[in-house]
Amino acid sequence: MVSYYTEIDIEKCKNRIDAIIMSERLLIGGLRGKVDFYGNEFCVRKTSGIYNKRLTGLPITFYGELIKKENGTIIEGEFRVPTSSKIPIAIWFGVGTFMWLFCLVNIFLGKFKDAFSVVLGVIGIPIFFGIGILIMSSGDTEPEKNYILDFIKTTLDAKEIEN
């Protein structure tokens, strides 16, 4: 959880965040997100761009909340993987688990007579899981995190609150 303080009121904070997101929404490698004008929540993510040479792993989004204080606003938030990315991961591991259990049951029941099927069931499916884990953990999301935190600091003239 990160916390920032700014002397700008909540409505101006929302308008500033929304203005930057709207101005960068069509740029390759720009910011995406939304601001809840009825509540005090917002989310921001940085796209990696088409021509980025490095792997970025799972997309990461900053979910923040604007809290009114007497002389300004506190911005609190955290980085999380969005639900839209968690669903394909769950499907990947669900299918993999089903395939692996299917192969193991058939091996123990003696339905697989050739060595290839046994090797596929015992070694191949865990490799399938390994590929999924590598895809999820590959890449470095620190540049995106730093970009978003710098965006919050500069756009809202915010200073970090020490916890």
Side-chain angles (χ1 to χ4, degrees):
M1 175 83 67
V2 293
S3 299
Y4 291 97
Y5 174 78
T6 183
E7 295 178 355
I8 302 170
D9 70 341
I10 287 180
E11 292 306 314
K12 286 184 182 177
C13 288
K14 290 181 197 178
N15 289 331
R16 285 187 181 190
I17 293 169
D18 189 54
I20 298 292
I21 289 172
M22 289 297 135
S23 68
E24 290 193 13
R25 72 183 184 274
L26 298 176
L27 296 176
I28 296 172
L31 290 172
R32 306 288 189 274
K34 66 180 178 175
V35 177
D36 181 9
F37 283 98
Y38 298 109
N40 292 328
E41 297 177 350
F42 67 97
C43 64
V44 179
R45 73 178 171 88
K46 168 123 176 48
T47 59
S48 59
I50 296 172
Y51 302 108
N52 196 342
K53 296 276 190 247
R54 64 184 177 78
L55 293 173
T56 57
L58 289 175
I60 193 154
T61 303
F62 181 81
Y63 293 89
E65 181 179 7
L66 302 169
I67 302 167
K68 184 167 180 51
K69 289 295 177 190
E70 59 277 350
N71 294 335
T73 304
I74 291 183
I75 303 108
E76 286 186 344
E78 64 185 354
F79 289 97
R80 294 190 306 237
V81 176
T83 305
S84 60
S85 297
K86 292 178 183 177
I87 293 170
I89 293 168
I91 292 171
W92 177 274
F93 284 107
V95 168
T97 302
F98 175 75
M99 289 175 16
W100 194 48
L101 290 174
F102 177 78
C103 287
L104 289 178
V105 166
N106 283 316
I107 288 169
F108 289 126
L109 293 177
K111 294 191 178 188
F112 289 153
K113 302 295 181 191
D114 58 339
F116 176 75
S117 299
V118 173
V119 169
L120 178 66
V122 174
I123 297 173
I125 306 300
I127 290 173
F128 177 82
F129 282 118
I131 291 170
I133 291 169
L134 285 175
I135 289 171
M136 288 186 306
S137 65
S138 68
D140 180 19
T141 58
E142 282 303 313
E144 283 81 8
K145 287 181 181 179
N146 292 335
Y147 186 90
I148 292 170
L149 294 177
D150 287 341
F151 159 75
I152 291 169
K153 285 188 242 181
T154 57
T155 303
L156 303 178
D157 298 324
K159 295 177 180 37
E160 190 166 1
I161 298 172
E162 298 297 325
N163 292 332

